[in-house]
Amino acid sequence: MISDTGAASAMDTALAAREAAETFGEVTQIVGFRLDAEEYGVPITDVQEIIRLRTVSITRIPNAPRFVEGVVNLRGRMVPVVDLRGRFGLSAVEHARSTRVVVLRLADRTFGIVVDEVTEVVRVPSNEIEMLPDLVAGPGSRFVTGVARVGDRMVVVLDLNRLFTDEEADAFDEIASGGNSEDGKAGK
Amino acid sequence: MSEEYGTEQLIREFLCEAEEHFDAIGSDLAAIESALADGRSPEAGSVESVFRAVHTLKGLASMFAFTSIKELAHRLESLLDAVRKGRTALDRDTYDVVFRTSRVLERITMGVAAPEAQHDAAVADAVALIERHMAANGGAISGDAAGVTVFSEFAAECLARGVQSGLRPIALDLRWGIELRLGGLRRAEVESALGGGEIVEVRPLLDGTPELDEIDPDTADVTVEVLALTDRSNAEIGDALGVSESRIRELDVCAPGDVVGDTDVLVDGSKPLEAGRTASTRGVLRVEIQRVDELMDLAGELVTARTRLADLSSSLRARDAKDETYSALATSVKEVAALVGALQEQVMRLRMVPVGTLFSRAPRIVRDIARTLGKDVTVEIEGSDTELDKRLIEQLEDPLLHLLRNAVDHGIEPAGVRAAAGKPATGRIRLTARQEAGTVVVEITDDGGGLDSEKIAARATQLGLDLRQGDGARLAEIIMSPGFSTAAQVTDVSGRGVGLDVVRKRITDLNGVAEVESQPGHGTVFRLVMPLTLAIMPALLVRVSGETFALPLVAVLEVMRVRGDDLHMIAGTRVMDLRGTTLPVIALAEMFGGDVPADRGYVVEVTSGSRICGLLVDGLLGRQEIVVKSLDILGYTAPGIAGATILGDGSVVPIIDVDHAVGAGIAGSREECA
């Protein structure tokens, strides 16, 4: 792979690294989606399916934890839907044409997250997912694995397993009920 | 012993079958007892069928090497054999021995998973009891029960066919060492010793069946029984095999047409079994309830899919109603809809079993407790053929047991007290079941003294519970509230760790309602109202703040239209006047974190336990059968919501937890009292 002249450009090296990573399977495929202006992603291996909100409606469950937006009927099965905007401290918006429910299957749990739009599936070499700088600490940052650069964009890669540890859920509920004063746009 | 010899599956099947036999024994003993009580002589058929059940149990137990079960079953069988042959009279004493030992047998059998050592004392007592009784009544325990052989229908048919072709049916007892080789080398040898006959069946006899690879052929002391057909004499066969002639006996086999029953056939020349019992087991398939549940789920999803299909079909019609393909589609959608409906109903019916299997145990249990307490109590049963969900029946067992114990212990007064009150000395407990508007109502009624308001009041005060004197509904509520454990009460018969609160909790979990009614001096009624099945429940659909909810119909007493001025606020609690009593009213919209509803709507009067309150809703959408699904919200719960259902149009509707709602209402009004 490496040029035998020993004078390969930096670009060549980067390409070679990416190719090597792909060759050895160290590529993460990420389903990208948008919340407000930010782009997030979850590993495609966690995604079961993506559904339009036109085809299902979310039923609110009273007295459920704040971060549960409701449940949807997915072919006879009831699947809870998490309010990710609320979770990330973003203000609620009306569901639009582009709104989707991304159904995830994590640790034996099936649940959906509501996103403003599903963008694309991107392939990112795993070693190019950067850790988040310590300075970034919004309500959503606890769910962040790292940041991936796709062209000139940044995709915040999420680890949603962390949605379900009790302490975090409780802590989050406190933050959420304390108001949205913080800038919750993780990744900035 | 269980983990050594049997797979879990086999044990489960064993328990399953054993349970059926004990059910049968229960009903037969009940019949015998009622005959004895009326001074009639019990029907021979009942004794015969208890005998047969015990014998089968013994056979089952020896297959699994459950020694103590086998031992006890053998003694009991001998006693029953003496009774059916007229050697021992079936009087109250004999009945008592049979009754008590069969209870021990049931207990140790159904508890086979526990170490046998725990049973040893009980078994030894029971064995001694039978032996004493038989010794005193001219009987003796035989080596095996009087040469009676029970074998499978297949074997019976083979043997009977053999008899027709002139062969002699025999049973041959062989030591394990030979049997071991029977599986391989010397099977041919035995066959040749039989001459023109054949081996019909080889099975373990009495001494247990260790695993093949665990056995040492030289030292093993295990006997097998070989059922065979032969044209040789016993002596010839004995010679050929080198076994004593006494190990070979001739069988008495009916002709094929006379063969009755489909599992076991009793052949010892005694009269054939009642046709009724055997006919009822013919063609019965035993299926794990799990599989039926899965089928049920699929049928439920099919119903949802059907609705979607119907929706699509009608939207197609909107586009072009004259299209031929459309009309063909519409017809076929209708057909599918009808078929799916029928399928769902049939699957549902698979789960339904008569409540009689549960009720048949009641007389024995009541008798047992009554004896312990030195009381005389009879049980009347009504509605045994009422069908309900098998799972419900399983879940109902403990609460029912508890209520029966409770009725004998706390309901029925001691004979002296009864006499003083001018009541017959014998107490009466009525156990009834009936279907009522999509629900099953089970009632346990005693003719005792009713709830003792003073005792309950004292206990309530002790526990710091609020009690308004003379309020019967309140009394009932208190005895079923969690802190009010029976453990602190007079005797230990009821104090077996299950309180009435647990009864109520269980019934509530089954989407049902437990109620108590009591008339001082005349008795107490415990009423359990449950949906027919766990999977489907009749519900009232209501609207609250623009959303739809389902209310279990069992809990609904009455629905009233109200206007704003019908409702009053008393110290923060909404109440309304209902025919002179004050009904606390909960605005569901408020409970669900929404706005207080408009000044009109409906109040649904609901009950939970003996507590009653009203739920204020915006509108009623009518009654519907709903499929109850558990609600998974990522491991969290939503207080006030018991589950959810999917309606025909695919929409999800939460089911209101009436117990929680009523609890909230009562808590509210209690604060107001304080």
Side-chain angles (χ1 to χ4, degrees), chain B residues 464-482:
Chain B
L465 294 171
D466 168 52
L467 178 71
R468 274 164 281 181
Q469 280 293 340
D471 182 347
R474 183 86 188 125
L475 280 182
E477 180 199 320
I478 282 185
I479 62 166
M480 289 203 280
S481 63

Side-chain angles (χ1 to χ4, degrees), chain B residues 56-276:
Chain B
T56 310
L57 281 164
K58 185 178 82 171
L60 284 171
S62 28
M63 299 239 236
F64 285 90
F66 294 136
T67 331
S68 45
I69 300 173
K70 186 198 70 188
E71 287 296 315
L72 181 53
H74 178 57
R75 300 306 198 288
L76 184 53
E77 183 192 14
S78 300
L79 173 58
L80 289 164
D81 193 40
V83 171
R84 64 198 264 278
K85 297 225 168 99
R87 289 200 301 267
T88 302
L90 182 50
D91 51 15
R92 273 216 89 95
D93 285 347
T94 305
Y95 173 80
D96 251 14
V97 172
V98 170
F99 173 75
R100 281 161 62 185
T101 51
S102 69
R103 291 268 291 157
V104 173
L105 186 64
E106 177 169 359
R107 226 166 40 231
I108 63 170
T109 305
M110 300 327 276
V112 282
E116 283 206 8
Q118 289 182 7
H119 305 317
D120 283 352
V123 172
D125 285 352
V127 165
L129 182 66
I130 295 175
E131 282 173 353
R132 269 202 312 278
H133 187 78
M134 288 192 73
N137 290 276
I141 307 289
S142 58
D144 190 5
V148 172
T149 306
V150 175
F151 42 83
S152 70
E153 183 180 27
F154 171 74
E157 272 179 25
C158 288
L159 291 172
R161 226 176 289 127
V163 170
Q164 280 187 327
S165 43
L167 294 170
R168 212 161 53 84
I170 58 161
L172 180 63
D173 292 349
L174 294 174
R175 291 263 167 212
W176 184 267
I178 296 170
E179 204 275 338
L180 197 60
R181 279 165 286 177
L182 265 183
L185 293 175
R186 276 185 56 188
R187 187 182 178 99
E189 202 173 315
V190 176
E191 297 238 273
S192 81
L194 294 170
E198 58 174 349
I199 295 175
V200 172
E201 198 169 76
V202 178
R203 55 203 200 137
L205 190 72
L206 287 181
D207 293 338
T209 327
E211 294 287 343
L212 268 177
D213 47 4
E214 283 172 19
I215 199 156
D216 177 353
D218 296 327
T219 58
D221 187 20
V222 178
T223 307
V224 294
E225 185 177 50
V226 179
L227 302 179
L229 288 161
T230 184
D231 55 4
R232 301 250 172 103
S233 72
N234 289 358
E236 281 174 307
I237 298 167
D239 276 354
L241 291 173
V243 299
S244 145
E245 215 182 302
S246 65
R247 296 262 205 82
I248 306 166
R249 65 203 142 83
E250 182 148 354
L251 291 168
D252 185 359
V253 180
C254 344
D258 302 340
V259 171
V260 287
D262 63 345
T263 46
D264 296 316
V265 178
L266 191 69
V267 278
D268 69 335
S270 69
K271 63 184 166 189
L273 297 160
E274 304 155 80

